Amino acid sequence: MGTGVGTGTGMGSGALAPGQVEVGWVAVTAANAAAAGAAAAGVLDEAERQRAAAFRRDEDRALYQVAHVALRKVLAERLGRDAAAVTFRRAVCPGCGQLHGRPEPVDAPGLEFSLSHSGDLALIALAAHPVGADVERADAFAPGAGAEVATQLHPAEQAALAALADPSPQRWAAAAVRCWVRKEAYLKGTGMGLGRGVGVDYVGLGPGFGTAARGSGALPSGAQALGAQPSGAQPSGALPPAGWELRAVEVPPGYDAAIALRLPPGLSGEAVRVRSVELRLS
């Protein structure tokens, strides 16, 4: 579904319900890039304009402007104020107590956001509680490209990748990217970011990436071993972060994305509702 950001983003306005996650993705099309470039001077603040001007590649500048103009428009609609009037601050870092945690809008109680971008796609997630989002190109861990990064993951995640029921390089790459977007979404949601290290917390591969039963040996591509772990099951002894719900997010082909939501008291993961829409700036 595509809606114009200037006249309504489709991500709604007003307060978000507990467990509700609104996700918008916006592509760097020629039309969106032109609209963001035209709006930048009147919407972005001085620091954002300087950051945009510092990019050497036009493609990087366009991605930054599209992402940040869209974010401001989305937040403005939710808060009922002008996009240029939206201001930001840093939350307290849970690791050291300093003010370099998650970015958050000022004077907006009950509204949290996360912004991510990769390639020519930006992703925005809104929720009433701390939320993290990450999007990556689907070929980020193309065969041979992600092996070194994978060695930095949690040991149980490395084991799950090694034990995929479908051991083909393409399936491994898809599972590695899915694990990575879940990891980044969670770390961004906590406010720690990659500074915490990607091997500390277990987030798993998520549903859809079953692993072969132990001792079953190598399997032909696409085969599912008798007695294999259920799709998305975690290895013995590995538990996902307590109090968080991680979900895949619907995005265009060629990308993978996930969100991580800190569950409010009394709400189970089954009650979380995620809605994804396309945004257009033109």
Side-chain angles (χ1 to χ4, degrees), residues 35-177:
V43 172
L44 302 183
D45 63 25
E46 180 63 24
E48 290 169 319
R49 293 195 297 270
Q50 290 181 0
R51 177 71 184 275
F55 287 107
R56 294 185 177 181
R57 298 199 323 153
D58 291 341
E59 299 91 331
D60 296 332
R61 183 179 305 106
L63 175 60
Y64 181 88
Q65 290 179 330
V66 165
H68 286 260
V69 168
L71 173 64
R72 282 181 167 274
K73 295 285 190 177
V74 164
L75 291 175
E77 182 180 9
R78 182 66 60 175
L79 296 169
R81 65 183 69 159
D82 291 337
V86 177
T87 55
F88 303 94
R89 66 188 174 198
R90 286 283 182 173
V92 173
C93 171
C96 68
Q98 300 300 310
L99 295 175
H100 58 79
R102 295 186 318 277
E104 56 185 16
V106 176
D107 298 325
L111 180 61
E112 302 276 354
F113 77 88
S114 186
L115 171 66
S116 178
H117 45 71
S118 177
D120 61 0
L121 194 74
L123 188 75
I124 300 165
L126 304 181
H129 294 82
V131 63
D134 189 58
V135 62
E136 301 288 345
R137 290 175 59 104
D139 61 0
F141 289 167
E148 182 177 349
V149 175
T151 63
Q152 303 172 33
L153 296 173
H154 188 283
E157 292 162 349
Q158 296 183 45
L161 285 171
L164 284 171
D166 176 353
S168 69
Q170 293 76 18
R171 190 63 170 165
W172 184 95
V177 170

Side-chain angles (χ1 to χ4, degrees), residues 1 23-25 121 123 247-253 255-258 274-278:
M1 182 174 83
V23 179
W25 58 265
L121 194 74
L123 188 75
R247 296 279 184 88
V249 173
E250 183 180 352
V251 287
Y255 292 88
D256 201 349
V274 181
R275 188 174 71 104
S276 178
V277 298
E278 179 187 2

